[in-house]
């Protein structure tokens, strides 16, 4: 696969335009899939404490032989660690035997806990201490972004949200962009559901590419940074080969129009869904 271009986050950090999702890769098979992803050219790896695979991620990084400095490694602080977020980052570093992270996110705001602002203050401190180069959030609403920005004066570099054709997040993407926050997309393929859409299949046929490539190309046109997961080396390659064609404005609009109010996967509304 050709080297992926990068984009610059609001805090000046440079990051590949496509990342590799690692949930639920674990164990020997998980390491094999992650080594393959690094070998075929992914340089942005997305993990989380709650994926229970940070050890596998670090093993894959070492086995792959790719220079640490060439990898953008992102993990996430779980809800139970909001009040000890800096310590959580130190533990992730210890587990992965690393000196620094490229990015750390608050995994879920868990509003009923009332602790996400404290977690953000702790991430700001972790960045100041050089434990992490870039800090951000995941599953935050516009109001929650404003809460952390007004408490600290520091804007999250990124907001990782559920985003795929059935749930295109038009308002949240606009709110992120207004604040200078780059939107990362989790479940960018709708966990395969997006590829079954007749509109997507039709557009794929017109371009002579796969439905997954159409969906991932749509993300880039939206300025969204997709994090597809695949354990299959061939799909890992094709998922990243999406810069050789462009979607027309009509095709982009037709895919976005697949959005439905009930389009979220497993009802993961961050106002009610919480993860410890
Ligand atoms: N922040 C959060 O709260 C949050 C929540 C969920 C996920 N995430 C992150 O987002 C990443 C991606 O999300 P996801 O894994 O839920 O969903 P996804 O990337 O949309 O879909 C993954 C599924 O699609 C299949 N697939 C991948 N490429 C394909 C292709 N070209 N053709 C056909 N099938 C294909 C994979 O199977 P194979 O492996 O067999 O190819 C897997 O079953 C996760 O790994 C994780 O890093 C974050």
């Amino acid at each position: 696969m050709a080297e992926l271009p990068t984009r610059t986050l609001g805090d000046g950090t440079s990051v590949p335009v496509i990342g590799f999702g690692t949930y639920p890769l674990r164990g020997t098979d998980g390491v094999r899939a992650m080594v393959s992803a690094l070998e075929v050219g992914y340089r942005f790896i997305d993990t989380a404490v709650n994926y229970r695979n940070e050890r596998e991620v670090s093993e894959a990084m070492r086995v792959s032989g790719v220079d640490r400095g060439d990898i953008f490694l992102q993990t996430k602080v779980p809800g139970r660690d909001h009040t000890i977020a800096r310590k959580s980052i130190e533990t992730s570093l210890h587990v992965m035997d690393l000196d620094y992270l490229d990015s750390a996110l608050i995994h879920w705001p868990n509003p009923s806990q009332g602790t996400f602002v404290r977690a953000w203050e702790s991430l700001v401190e972790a960045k100041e201490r050089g434990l992490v180069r870039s800090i951000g959030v995941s599953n935050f609403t516009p109001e929650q972004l404003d809460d952390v920005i007004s408490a600290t004066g520091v804007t999250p570099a990124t907001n990782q949200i559920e985003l795929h054709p059935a749930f295109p997040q038009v308002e949240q993407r606009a709110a992120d962009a207004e604040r200078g926050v780059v939107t990362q997309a989790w479940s960018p393929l709708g966990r395969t559901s997006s590829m079954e859409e007749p509109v997507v299949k039709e557009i794929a046929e017109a371009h002579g590419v796969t439905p997954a490539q159409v969906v991932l190309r749509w993300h880039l046109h939206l300025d969204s940074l997709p994090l597809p997961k695949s354990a299959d080396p061939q799909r890992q390659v094709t998922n990243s080969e999406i810069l050789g064609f462009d979607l027309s404005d009509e095709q982009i609009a037709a895919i976005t129009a697949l959005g439905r109010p009930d389009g979220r996967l497993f009802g993961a509304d961050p106002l009610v869904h919480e993860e410890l």
Side-chain angles (χ1 to χ4, degrees):
M1 104 187 201
E3 196 176 318
L4 284 168
T6 57
R7 60 184 294 178
T8 306
L9 305 179
D11 60 8
T13 314
S14 176
V15 56
V17 296
I18 306 167
F20 182 74
T22 66
Y23 178 79
L25 300 172
R26 286 196 200 111
T28 316
D29 287 348
V31 172
R32 193 178 302 121
M34 295 184 223
V35 170
S36 159
L38 285 161
E39 282 176 351
V40 304
Y42 288 87
R43 291 293 177 267
F44 175 178
I45 306 291
D46 180 68
T47 181
V49 171
N50 275 349
Y51 300 169
R52 292 185 287 118
N53 66 6
E54 288 183 324
R55 220 174 281 280
E56 282 94 332
V57 169
S58 80
E59 190 182 335
M61 285 166 65
R62 268 177 271 283
V63 170
S64 74
V66 176
D67 279 352
R68 167 70 187 97
D70 291 339
I71 298 173
F72 187 91
L73 176 63
Q74 174 169 278
T75 195
K76 309 185 195 82
V77 172
R80 62 186 173 281
D81 286 353
H82 275 189
T83 57
I84 51 161
R86 182 170 62 81
K87 179 97 185 60
S88 181
I89 287 175
E90 284 167 350
T91 304
S92 290
L93 288 172
H94 177 71
V95 166
M96 293 192 271
D97 194 18
L98 296 173
D99 300 331
Y100 70 93
L101 294 170
D102 296 282
S103 171
L105 312 181
I106 300 172
H107 202 152
W108 285 87
N110 288 11
S112 76
Q113 288 181 202
T115 48
F116 66 79
V117 171
R118 221 164 126 198
W120 183 246
E121 288 165 347
S122 197
L123 287 199
V124 170
E125 189 197 335
K127 187 180 176 202
E128 282 166 1
R129 289 186 182 217
L131 301 175
V132 54
R133 295 172 57 228
S134 181
I135 52 176
V137 297
S138 179
N139 301 303
F140 270 44
T141 64
E143 296 73 24
Q144 290 162 344
L145 286 174
D146 289 338
D147 286 346
V148 295
I149 295 167
S150 63
T152 60
V154 180
T155 301
T158 191
N159 187 16
Q160 185 182 122
I161 57 173
E162 178 179 346
L163 170 51
H164 45 80
F167 202 64
Q169 297 259 35
V170 176
E171 291 85 14
Q172 183 63 52
R173 282 190 289 108
D176 288 348
E178 267 166 36
R179 291 160 179 76
V181 176
V182 168
T183 303
Q184 293 180 9
W186 64 258
S187 293
L189 301 168
R191 295 216 169 137
T192 73
S193 61
S194 310
M195 282 94 83
E196 299 308 320
E197 297 282 359
V199 170
V200 170
K201 286 183 175 171
E202 221 171 84
I203 296 172
E205 224 165 89
H207 286 281
V209 298
T210 68
Q213 287 174 311
V214 166
V215 174
L216 294 167
R217 188 72 186 92
W218 170 81
H219 279 279
L220 296 197
H221 281 297
L222 297 187
D223 226 15
S224 140
L225 197 161
L227 305 164
K229 171 263 169 185
S230 179
D232 179 82
Q234 194 51 45
R235 289 196 283 278
Q236 290 172 354
V237 171
T238 53
N239 286 352
S240 70
E241 290 178 337
I242 55 173
L243 293 162
F245 66 103
D246 281 318
L247 301 178
S248 67
D249 290 346
E250 291 72 26
Q251 290 170 331
I252 296 166
I255 298 171
T256 307
L258 294 170
R260 305 186 310 262
D262 66 345
R264 279 191 195 277
L265 298 169
F266 49 83
D269 183 342
L271 289 175
V272 289
H273 179 89
E274 307 205 347
E275 276 189 18
L276 284 182

